[in-house]
Amino acid sequence: MRQKKKVDGTTILYHYLQKSLQNDDVWLYQNLVAKLITSLGVWFPPSIYAHLPIALPYVVRDHTCRKRKPGQVDQWSSPNEHGFLRDDNSLIKNLNNTFSIHTQSFTEYNKKRMGKGFIAAHVWRMTPDGEYAARNHLGNSFWPNLVWLPSNVAKLTDREGSFAQKFVQALSLKIYRDVDIHKSLLPFVKDAWELFPVEHGIMDQVLPELDELNYFEVPENFLPRKINDIRIVSEGLGRISDGLSLENKILHTRYTEGLPRVKKEIAKSLSHYLEKYYKAAELSFNSTIKPIT
């Protein structure tokens, strides 16, 4: 007798919303999805984004870096041929795993840390050129391109051109697009925003006010630590470009071991780019008169 298939309760909400409710009552579907994204999504605070708009400019998404078949070698955190660290979204997911959440609308979140069942979702999966945004060092950890959502809700935003995806894009633009950026960082932010289309078709009237959304509470040492990490990578690449050996570990063992195989001219170019970026971030951070909240 043929064994009957089982229903997976951890994903059934997604299938119900996507395959059933959307077909039965699109108005209810869109209102419910908008409510779920508004109430359950967690964003990086725009006041911190202003000083470090790209969290990990030396990291790109590469799904091939993990061991998938017998005999393959795990290459997570190794550098690619362009000197960028290869990640499977682990570094992105863990950017704020120690942060508490601040919310005025959902007490179950307030002052708590994020546990299991959440996904660091990329708001724009694709660029206008048809490339995956996460494979670009600007798009992968650009804060406006990231929102943390429960997995069943996050999966809705993965469907290209869907209402859920357009809604998170509209929210991101409302949160970040008009944030004042220090002039030193403007070229980097401009290049990052050019990866993403601004047309989404969602009326402003249906979007929530910004204080209705949930944000991470960022500790004071977060920005200095991330800026220092970028400096470490830049200096390591600089040593490779000069034909020197690495004196210290460059963030990850596999990255350190693989950097000498990066061509000198490529290492030099990336080193200079990262140096300009971390120095711009330092200028922005040091120009802040009031404490960052």
Side-chain angles (χ1 to χ4, degrees), residues 199-266:
E199 298 298 327
H200 47 71
I202 305 295
M203 295 186 296
D204 290 342
Q205 298 92 311
V206 306
L207 295 176
E209 296 301 320
L210 296 185
D211 60 4
E212 297 178 53
L213 302 175
N214 312 308
Y215 300 96
F216 290 107
E217 293 183 333
V218 180
E220 291 182 3
N221 66 345
F222 178 78
L223 284 180
R225 284 194 297 106
K226 291 304 173 190
I227 292 172
N228 188 56
D229 285 348
I230 301 167
R231 178 188 61 78
I232 289 171
V233 175
S234 174
E235 291 178 353
L237 287 161
R239 290 188 65 85
I240 295 302
S241 70
D242 291 335
L244 302 173
S245 61
L246 298 173
E247 297 178 322
N248 301 298
K249 182 178 177 181
I250 311 299
L251 302 188
H252 300 271
T253 299
R254 288 197 187 102
Y255 191 65
T256 307
E257 293 174 346
L259 275 184
R261 294 191 288 272
V262 177
K263 292 181 179 179
K264 291 181 180 180
E265 62 271 22
I266 292 176

Side-chain angles (χ1 to χ4, degrees), residues 139-156:
N140 186 41
S141 61
F142 186 49
W143 289 113
N145 197 29
L146 292 169
V147 59
W148 275 252
L149 288 161
S151 59
N152 278 272
V153 182
K155 288 181 63 152
L156 296 169

Side-chain angles (χ1 to χ4, degrees), residues 6-17:
K6 294 182 179 180
V7 174
D8 186 353
T10 62
T11 61
I12 197 62
L13 176 61
Y14 162 75
H15 291 295
Y16 171 71
L17 292 171

Side-chain angles (χ1 to χ4, degrees), residues 55-116:
L56 307 173
Y58 50 86
V59 174
V60 292
R61 181 82 173 267
D62 184 349
H63 71 280
T64 67
C65 69
R66 287 296 191 185
K67 178 180 178 180
R68 296 181 179 274
K69 298 179 181 178
Q72 288 184 335
V73 178
D74 195 317
Q75 297 188 14
W76 176 81
S77 79
S78 62
N80 65 15
E81 61 181 354
H82 302 292
F84 292 101
L85 189 152
R86 301 163 65 196
D87 181 37
D88 64 344
N89 217 40
S90 298
L91 293 177
I92 300 298
K93 180 180 179 182
N94 292 327
L95 272 171
N96 40 34
N97 61 354
T98 62
F99 296 177
S100 297
I101 301 171
H102 172 73
T103 177
Q104 298 182 27
S105 56
F106 187 35
T107 56
E108 189 62 26
Y109 273 5
N110 201 35
K111 302 301 179 183
K112 296 178 181 177
R113 289 167 52 182
M114 196 165 280
K116 296 179 180 179

